[in-house]
Amino acid sequence: IFTKEKLEPFTEFNWNFDTVTGIRRQTCSADDLKKLGSRKVIKNFTFSECDFFGKFSSPKLTFKECTFEKCDLGRCTWLDIKFQNCSFNRTSLTQSTFDSCQFLDCKWSEIGLSGNETHIKECLITNPGDLIRSGYTNLDLEQLKKNKTDPSYQTMRLEQSKLKIARVVLASLERIG
């Protein structure tokens, strides 16, 4: 996650939803989730500043009315997962692979995307324009100077990424109808 503060190591989430309605600064492992069985609906849960990793491929896994706030979904594969009425705020999809997933009526705000590293295959996104418009890039002058770039260059790169993502989403929607 992008933050200027020094973070302590995250604890690992055990996927127990019985006593909590959300978690903060935890890692979320696909392998640990698979141990809980095959059919899961995760409803009204908030993931805040969480780091997801692994291959999320549990059959019938649905995230319903969940919030992903400042999460990193990158370096993950999401296979046949349904996201229904979820909110994604300042969340990174860079280096993610989404295959045969559904994003039904999700809300998108300041999303990290990469035209080359965000992979979307045969996914249904009911509001793809909102996803693409939500694309975000860091325009912090201090950070940009460290990387020897400037806001106009970063903005141009973001627009290129949005264009690539739009093409990928269009191709995905063409294949699944």
Side-chain angles (χ1 to χ4, degrees), residues 15-62:
W15 296 100
N16 181 352
F17 302 98
D18 295 337
T19 59
V20 294
T21 59
I23 58 171
R24 184 170 186 261
R25 292 190 177 174
Q26 294 191 31
T27 57
C28 302
S29 165
D31 289 339
D32 289 345
L33 179 60
K34 287 177 190 171
K35 294 174 187 173
L36 300 180
S38 61
R39 183 169 175 82
K40 287 173 252 5
V41 176
I42 300 168
K43 187 173 180 180
N44 293 320
F45 200 80
T46 299
F47 298 91
S48 179
E49 299 181 38
C50 293
D51 189 9
F52 290 77
F53 64 94
K55 184 175 182 179
F56 290 86
S57 60
S58 300
K60 306 294 182 191
L61 176 60
T62 299

Side-chain angles (χ1 to χ4, degrees), residues 86-151:
C86 291
S87 295
F88 296 87
N89 306 310
R90 292 195 60 112
T91 292
S92 177
L93 307 183
T94 302
Q95 297 181 344
S96 297
T97 298
F98 296 96
D99 190 348
S100 302
C101 292
Q102 297 178 39
F103 294 90
L104 308 174
D105 301 316
C106 292
K107 294 179 181 79
W108 310 93
S109 176
E110 295 185 343
I111 300 301
L113 299 167
S114 170
N116 295 325
E117 297 174 338
T118 302
H119 304 282
I120 300 171
K121 291 182 1 180
E122 298 184 16
C123 292
L124 173 61
I125 303 171
T126 58
N127 54 357
D130 291 348
L131 168 63
I132 294 161
R133 278 188 294 278
S134 73
Y136 171 81
T137 190
N138 178 21
L139 296 178
D140 180 311
L141 290 175
E142 184 179 310
Q143 191 69 31
L144 294 176
K145 283 180 186 177
K146 286 181 186 176
N147 292 316
K148 298 180 180 162
T149 188
D150 60 66

Side-chain angles (χ1 to χ4, degrees), residues 154-176:
Q154 282 301 107
T155 301
M156 183 264 308
R157 293 287 308 252
L158 173 62
E159 293 305 315
Q160 286 178 332
S161 288
K162 286 179 177 181
L163 179 61
K164 288 178 184 178
I165 293 292
R167 287 181 182 150
V168 167
V169 169
L170 177 62
S172 181
L173 290 172
E174 285 177 339
R175 285 192 293 276
I176 62 169

